[in-house]
Amino acid sequence: MATATDQVVGYGLVAFSLTLFAYYTIWIIILPFIESDHIIHKYFLPREYSVIIPVAAGLLLLLFVGVFIAIITWKNRTLTKKSA
Amino acid sequence: MAASRDKYSVLLPTYNERENLPLIVWLLVRSFRESGNDFEIIVIDDGSPDGTQEIAEQLIKIYGSDRILLRPRAKKLGLGTAYIHGMKHATGNFIIIMDADLSHHPKFIPEFIRKQKEGNFDIVSGTRYKGNGGVHGWDVKRKLISRGANFLTQVLLRPGASDLTGSFRLYRKEVLQKLMEKCVSKGYVFQMEMIVRARQLEYSIGEVPISFVDRVYGESKLGGNEIVSFLKGLLTLFATT
Amino acid sequence: MYRFDTMTKLLQWLFMLALLGGTWATLTLNLLGLDPLPPPVYQVLWLLPTYLLVTFGCYSLGTVGYRLATFNDCEEAARELHAQIREARDDLAQRGMKF
């Protein structure tokens, strides 16, 4: 049995990813087949954003990972210098 | 049960484990006596300043020098070489490697042995990620990182085993010897490389769910350093194997 | 002869990506000069790589989340271990162990 916190965080992630997937699927796959004057189009940004947003998010993630690794490596270097 | 001619050598690499060593040995001896398997425990101490070796000497007096072997080394030299060093003195045909800090409970060893016999496996690996397996003493952040790292590893390496970074395993002696010749990494990555190489060499791997109780005495660490060296090792294995 | 299962994982990935990418480009740019597909299909095709990437991201996040939510917290094992530690200490002390 997982703890309550683990379950909240874990199932929270599941819910988030499912919602995201459903929304994105409608946006990318279904919308092109629906008449452009249908009301559903109001709930979605213009089509170019469906690329811009994920690419921006991906770059942000890469940047975060890169900065994290850089900081750790840099800390290590100063540490070994001190102890040397 | 006792008809088996197999002997199991447990390798216990230690560094500053005077609190844990007597306890793990006591648990090991009890587990082996209950299951009726032949065994020996090889303590490979890397020159701990806290008197771990003195504790080991006491244990030899209690349990006998055929059960407990102390094979120390002068200084801290790393896990991989500790296994090589320990294996030179091992008389068993199976080798069990585990942590001496009580996070790996000896009660699972009889299950490892049963699993090995059941499928005639070359390797039996303990897994925290399957069945009744699990961990204790980790906060949600650590569990999330652990699950994330495991997922990433599964995607990139498709290793055919669910717990790559765990170090509670049973090996056929000649298999471990062969693997030690091939493996070059250190730390967490070393355990990962063992499984990846094992798959390359087409060894069979069985799995037993284990509960991992994070160290009772002393502290375990998962900092930025561990994460970065894990990522480096993972990518190296991804590009080279 | 190059065998897929002996390639490094990196090469396997590159190989599969090239295969998928090639198929995608062929369809999207209609390189084979077949009768064109309906316009909405092209709208979807253009975004398919991003869509697959996002889908994979969602799958990863969902899987990790589910595994976190079902990660056993071995309370019982910890309790049992603590009890056994006491038992071990007593027994070893009786046999003359000095901690």
Side-chain angles (χ1 to χ4, degrees):
Chain A
M1 213 23 206
T3 64
T5 326
D6 298 347
Q7 291 192 15
V8 169
V9 176
Y11 286 124
L13 284 175
V14 174
F16 175 74
S17 65
L18 283 178
T19 316
L20 198 67
F21 174 69
Y23 184 85
Y24 202 68
T25 301
I26 297 171
W27 195 3
I28 301 296
I29 308 289
I30 302 192
L31 238 50
F33 296 95
I34 296 174
E35 303 299 320
S36 54
D37 51 0
H38 193 285
I39 185 133
I40 193 172
H41 286 276
K42 272 198 195 155
Y43 298 97
F44 294 85
L45 287 168
R47 209 159 169 74
E48 56 265 33
Y49 286 99
S50 66
V51 178
I52 294 172
I53 295 172
V55 167
L59 287 178
L60 223 69
L61 186 74
L62 281 180
L63 188 75
F64 174 76
V65 173
V67 168
F68 177 76
I69 292 175
I71 289 174
I72 298 293
T73 322
W74 178 74
K75 258 192 194 161
N76 268 349
R77 205 165 295 157
T78 45
L79 262 180
T80 43
K81 251 185 213 161
K82 258 182 211 160
S83 64
Chain B
M1 189 83 208
S4 150
R5 308 285 305 145
D6 294 321
K7 182 172 180 179
Y8 300 87
S9 302
V10 180
L11 302 189
L12 281 183
T14 57
Y15 186 76
N16 285 349
E17 298 285 5
R18 69 167 296 146
E19 290 277 356
N20 291 317
L21 186 62
L23 305 173
I24 188 77
V25 167
W26 188 87
L27 288 167
L28 275 165
V29 171
R30 188 165 80 165
S31 166
F32 275 114
R33 296 231 160 113
E34 276 173 6
S35 68
N37 292 297
D38 194 11
F39 72 101
E40 65 185 358
I41 300 166
I42 303 174
V43 180
I44 305 132
D45 186 69
D46 278 6
S48 306
D50 76 338
T52 303
Q53 290 181 30
E54 187 264 318
I55 293 280
E57 300 286 359
Q58 288 196 48
L59 288 163
I60 293 172
K61 280 200 194 99
I62 294 174
Y63 291 113
S65 55
D66 55 330
R67 291 298 183 202
I68 319 282
L69 291 79
L70 175 61
R71 296 291 179 267
R73 301 189 295 173
K75 60 176 167 80
K76 223 178 168 183
L77 291 167
L79 212 52
T81 53
Y83 293 146
I84 296 176
H85 180 82
M87 228 177 345
K88 274 191 280 192
H89 305 282
T91 59
N93 54 334
F94 285 99
I95 308 278
I96 291 163
I97 62 172
M98 64 191 296
D99 293 347
D101 63 4
L102 296 175
S103 53
H104 297 148
H105 198 295
K107 70 182 172 189
F108 294 109
I109 292 177
E111 289 179 41
F112 279 41
I113 293 172
R114 208 173 310 130
K115 186 82 191 177
Q116 191 283 323
K117 289 197 185 342
E118 185 187 298
N120 196 24
F121 291 111
D122 296 313
I123 301 167
V124 175
S125 172
T127 176
R128 294 161 289 180
Y129 303 116
K130 255 190 186 168
N132 293 322
V135 294
H136 184 266
W138 287 6
D139 59 7
V140 68
K141 185 180 145 208
R142 175 133 192 205
K143 283 180 185 155
L144 184 62
I145 293 173
S146 170
R147 277 306 198 182
N150 185 259
F151 178 79
L152 194 63
T153 312
Q154 296 296 336
V155 169
L156 291 183
L157 301 181
R158 275 171 289 124
S162 58
D163 194 342
L164 280 269
T165 47
S167 51
F168 193 3
R169 293 178 188 152
L170 179 150
Y171 293 88
R172 238 183 251 286
K173 189 179 183 188
E174 64 274 16
V175 167
L176 186 57
Q177 258 156 352
K178 192 83 184 247
L179 287 172
M180 297 301 312
E181 287 165 22
K182 297 243 169 194
C183 290
V184 290
S185 357
K186 291 184 168 56
Y188 277 121
V189 184
F190 171 75
Q191 307 295 351
M192 213 150 74
E193 188 178 1
M194 296 273 266
I195 293 291
V196 172
R197 302 278 177 207
R199 204 170 143 78
Q200 278 184 329
L201 296 169
E202 294 178 357
Y203 291 131
S204 55
I205 304 172
E207 291 193 296
V208 169
I210 58 160
S211 52
F212 177 99
V213 178
D214 208 0
R215 17 190 336 147
V216 183
Y217 301 105
E219 54 183 307
S220 88
K221 41 180 193 154
L222 177 77
N225 270 331
E226 281 73 25
I227 297 176
V228 169
S229 58
F230 170 82
L231 285 177
K232 267 188 203 157
L234 179 60
L235 291 180
T236 310
L237 287 176
F238 177 63
T240 58
T241 66
Chain C
M1 175 66 188
Y2 227 58
R3 272 177 56 201
F4 187 72
D5 61 337
T6 57
M7 287 158 72
T8 66
K9 290 288 182 290
L10 176 64
L11 280 178
Q12 289 180 7
W13 273 76
L14 292 177
F15 183 80
M16 290 313 284
L17 282 178
L19 207 70
L20 277 174
T23 316
W24 175 76
T26 311
L27 284 174
T28 311
L29 305 171
N30 199 6
L31 296 177
L32 296 177
L34 305 170
D35 288 334
L37 299 160
V41 175
Y42 282 105
Q43 279 191 37
V44 172
L45 270 177
W46 271 111
L47 293 185
L48 207 58
T50 333
Y51 176 73
L52 291 178
L53 217 62
V54 171
T55 302
F56 178 70
C58 288
Y59 168 72
S60 306
L61 209 61
T63 310
V64 171
Y66 179 73
R67 289 179 180 171
L68 174 67
T70 55
F71 206 173
N72 283 327
D73 194 84
C74 311
E75 194 69 52
E76 189 49 50
R79 252 200 304 277
E80 183 195 57
L81 179 64
H82 282 282
Q84 286 173 343
I85 286 174
R86 274 193 297 278
E87 202 185 329
R89 281 179 167 281
D90 293 347
D91 186 51
L92 284 167
Q94 251 175 33
R95 295 175 189 226
M97 177 99 197
K98 286 182 201 69
F99 286 93

